[in-house]
Amino acid sequence: MRKEGAGAMMESGARVALVEDDDALRDDILVPGLRASGYDAEGFRSPIELYRRMLVVAFDVVVLDVGLPDEDGLSVARHLRSSSPLGIIMLTGRGQAADRVQALGEAADAWLAKPVEVEVVAATISSLLRRMRMPQAASPVAEAEHSALRWRLLAQGWRLAAPSGREVALNRSERAVLECLFAGDGEPVSRERLIEALGESHDEFDPHRIDMLIHRLRRKSVEQLDEELPLRSVRGRGYVLVDHDDG
């Protein structure tokens, strides 16, 4: 019988991939610890091993070491984000704030600094899996095409659809923010409300993360949809998604 840790009681059986080139840390500590917490965890020494395995297995969460020998973890995260609707946690020894902001703003859902206890990794996975279920509960907002905005948020594909019909993949943080903005019905949404939508604590939240998410959404819209997302900053009030023709 598989033992379940307290942090993973409701997420038992979720498939977790751990990409870490430190053999001892991966095989002797993290993978066994995650399995003891109830996860179906597999360890990989390199991204290519993960990619090969993903041809036959669909993972729910990938835990990535940033400092991989053959491919930077952030590059791997970007590739996974563009092709798979899964959760991504960055595991790194780099303590600089810039690394954290870049990871969270571009591709990752969470970031942990080594050394880290396996219980913390397990608890972070559990929290992320709960957040991943939240957008699906908001399907009336996600599925409906807003009559004024003419943009659509597609729940099943985790994609943003432009008025032209083109679509772009979103990570869960981007999706949570967009759902909140769509639900704002053309009215400004405060930064505090966006933080709540991300499932984060106000006291622990990095204030730069919202700005990075907004910047990435705008950039992705222009680069991949060839349209400007009508997302505007309202001084002192937050952000608003407005009518495209009024942008």
Side-chain angles (χ1 to χ4, degrees):
M1 181 179 295
R2 183 163 51 188
K3 177 182 176 182
E4 293 186 354
M9 288 293 286
M10 297 184 64
E11 313 299 340
S12 179
R15 286 187 173 275
V16 176
L18 173 69
V19 187
E20 166 63 62
D21 64 320
D22 185 325
D23 295 340
L25 177 61
R26 182 188 67 246
D27 297 333
D28 299 338
I29 299 176
L30 293 180
V31 169
L34 292 177
R35 288 175 178 171
S37 293
Y39 297 111
D40 186 358
E42 294 186 47
F44 303 93
R45 194 177 191 281
S46 67
I48 190 64
E49 291 182 1
L50 173 66
Y51 297 152
R52 288 170 179 167
R53 183 61 171 156
M54 289 182 68
L55 294 175
V56 294
V57 171
F59 289 101
D60 300 298
V61 174
V62 174
V63 182
L64 281 170
D65 180 18
V66 170
L68 296 170
D70 52 353
E71 185 177 356
D72 184 86
L74 284 176
S75 298
V76 179
R78 295 187 194 103
H79 172 70
L80 294 175
R81 180 61 68 207
S82 67
S83 59
S84 305
L86 46 72
I88 299 176
I89 298 173
M90 305 305 298
L91 185 64
T92 175
R94 301 177 184 177
Q96 293 86 354
D99 291 319
R100 182 177 184 179
V101 171
Q102 182 181 13
L104 292 174
E106 292 191 4
D109 298 295
W111 180 92
L112 295 173
K114 293 187 291 186
V116 63
E117 296 181 354
V118 67
E119 291 82 4
V120 174
V121 180
T124 302
I125 293 171
S126 179
S127 176
L128 176 55
L129 288 168
R130 288 195 298 270
R131 285 162 50 193
M132 286 163 57
R133 292 198 301 265
M134 291 173 59
Q136 295 181 3
S139 57
V141 174
E143 297 293 348
E145 178 176 359
H146 195 289
S147 60
L149 299 172
R150 299 183 295 139
W151 290 70
R152 289 177 297 154
L153 196 56
L154 307 178
Q156 296 303 316
W158 295 89
R159 304 179 76 81
L160 173 68
S164 65
R166 294 180 178 177
E167 300 176 9
V168 64
L170 303 170
N171 66 34
R172 287 169 182 80
S173 297
E174 293 167 343
R175 181 178 177 78
V177 166
L178 280 175
E179 281 194 325
C180 196
L181 291 166
F182 269 92
D185 198 28
E187 294 296 324
V189 178
S190 69
R191 294 172 64 90
E192 290 75 15
R193 178 67 188 90
L194 294 176
I195 293 173
E196 291 176 2
L198 291 169
E200 300 282 354
S201 165
H202 287 243
D203 295 333
E204 300 176 358
F205 188 81
D206 186 338
H208 298 293
R209 186 176 174 190
I210 291 293
D211 299 328
M212 290 293 294
L213 283 170
I214 296 298
H215 172 74
R216 178 167 176 79
L217 284 167
R218 289 168 171 163
R219 188 179 67 186
K220 286 175 73 169
S221 177
V222 172
E223 293 180 353
Q224 300 186 42
L225 300 177
D226 199 27
E227 292 193 51
E228 180 183 354
L229 182 66
L231 176 53
R232 305 288 183 262
S233 172
V234 181
R235 186 177 180 84
R237 300 185 65 188
Y239 292 93
V240 61
L241 202 55
V242 299
D243 191 322
H244 182 69
D245 293 334
D246 294 337

